[in-house]
Amino acid sequence: DTAVSQTPKYLVTQMGNDKSIKCEQNLGHDTMYWYKQDSKKFLKIMFSYNNKELIINETVPNRFSPKSPDKAHLNLHINSLELGDSAVYFCASSQDSIYYGYTFGSGTRLTVV
Amino acid sequence: KQEVTQIPAALSVPEGENLVLNCSFTDSAIYNLQWFRQDPGKGLTSLLLIQSSQREQTSGRLNASLDKSSGRSTLYIAASQPGDSATYLCAVRVRSSNTGKLIFGQGTTLQVKP
């Protein structure tokens, strides 16, 4: 199936740990994104990569570090997890052209205890 | 700074009703507007994409309109069904670097009662 896939779907971890979320798209899109959905369901962009190059970094703590090994993958690594990091993280992708829409993954629910 | 607002925050209707969800945005300099559906605990499913030069898009029982000059979009759902129950999100694509980014509203949670 053509899609944006994220792993894991659920992640429960203790404060202070380091964790990673992986994202892969097989749609041939050039741009990938990470969005965070908070407890009030509000979605906000965190990062955007275009052909492995970081192009958007939205005032996210530097404990969050995205990595794009190739244009089909965008992983999110989080250091020293805090309670406030608990949220649902969505990966998305889009064509280079501004005239195309976004395709989202199914999300990763991160719970920090 | 672009802000997107969706009204109402929640809506409950009996099955069969036609309904309208509203989305407004503060800056008309958008590339396009996209409506999504989110089921509880699930990801976002794209419903309709309207380019800034377009007035409306239709898909089945869904019709989305866009009035860029007034900063408004509506999502019309005809003959609602219980399976339409979900949260509906609108998002505008705005200029940021060379690819733009989506700015989301906070959604309208719809419940359609049998």
Side-chain angles (χ1 to χ4, degrees):
Chain A
D1 288 346
T2 55
V4 178
S5 56
Q6 295 178 229
T7 55
K9 188 171 175 62
Y10 300 97
L11 186 51
V12 181
T13 187
Q14 291 187 328
M15 282 176 56
N17 283 351
D18 302 338
K19 290 293 178 186
S20 291
I21 306 171
K22 295 185 176 181
C23 179
E24 175 182 3
Q25 55 93 6
N26 61 3
L27 298 164
H29 291 168
D30 293 303
T31 307
M32 296 184 72
Y33 311 83
W34 279 109
Y35 276 78
K36 179 180 180 180
Q37 187 172 44
D38 62 25
S39 57
K40 296 183 179 180
K41 307 298 183 186
F42 186 62
L43 272 154
K44 187 173 180 182
I45 190 168
M46 300 172 68
F47 300 103
S48 170
Y49 266 75
N50 181 261
N51 272 316
K52 302 191 297 178
E53 181 182 349
L54 179 66
I55 54 173
I56 294 176
N57 183 341
E58 291 275 317
T59 60
V60 177
N62 56 16
R63 297 182 295 104
F64 290 78
S65 53
K67 286 186 172 55
S68 181
D70 56 61
K71 76 172 193 176
H73 295 84
L74 180 61
N75 304 322
L76 183 64
H77 188 77
I78 315 170
N79 289 327
S80 304
L81 278 155
E82 301 177 357
L83 292 176
D85 297 332
S86 296
V88 181
Y89 293 85
F90 285 97
C91 178
S93 70
S94 69
Q95 299 258 31
D96 240 357
S97 168
I98 57 174
Y99 300 108
Y100 290 90
Y102 281 40
T103 301
F104 278 78
S106 56
T108 295
R109 181 174 293 277
L110 171 65
T111 304
V112 183
V113 297
Chain B
K1 180 184 173 184
Q2 179 73 266
E3 291 184 0
V4 181
T5 304
Q6 291 186 246
I7 294 173
L11 183 62
S12 180
V13 300
E15 182 177 5
E17 268 202 14
N18 302 326
L19 57 101
V20 174
L21 307 181
N22 295 294
C23 173
S24 61
F25 46 97
T26 55
D27 186 347
S28 61
I30 65 170
Y31 294 130
N32 52 50
L33 184 146
Q34 197 167 357
W35 281 94
F36 294 89
R37 168 187 173 137
Q38 184 175 23
D39 292 284
K42 304 287 186 184
L44 280 69
T45 300
S46 180
L47 298 174
L48 290 163
L49 172 69
I50 312 178
Q51 302 299 337
S52 62
S53 58
Q54 296 176 323
R55 299 286 287 182
E56 66 178 327
Q57 283 285 335
T58 298
S59 176
R61 295 182 295 107
L62 304 179
N63 176 278
S65 68
L66 174 64
D67 184 341
K68 201 176 74 159
S69 60
S70 68
R72 293 179 183 177
S73 176
T74 61
L75 179 66
Y76 175 83
I77 303 177
S80 58
Q81 303 170 357
D84 295 329
S85 299
T87 295
Y88 291 81
L89 296 157
C90 82
V92 295
R93 191 165 187 172
V94 300
R95 184 181 301 276
S96 176
S97 75
N98 60 340
T99 60
K101 63 180 180 182
L102 281 184
I103 306 291
F104 280 86
Q106 289 185 271
T108 294
T109 299
L110 171 67
Q111 182 185 30
V112 181
K113 297 179 180 178

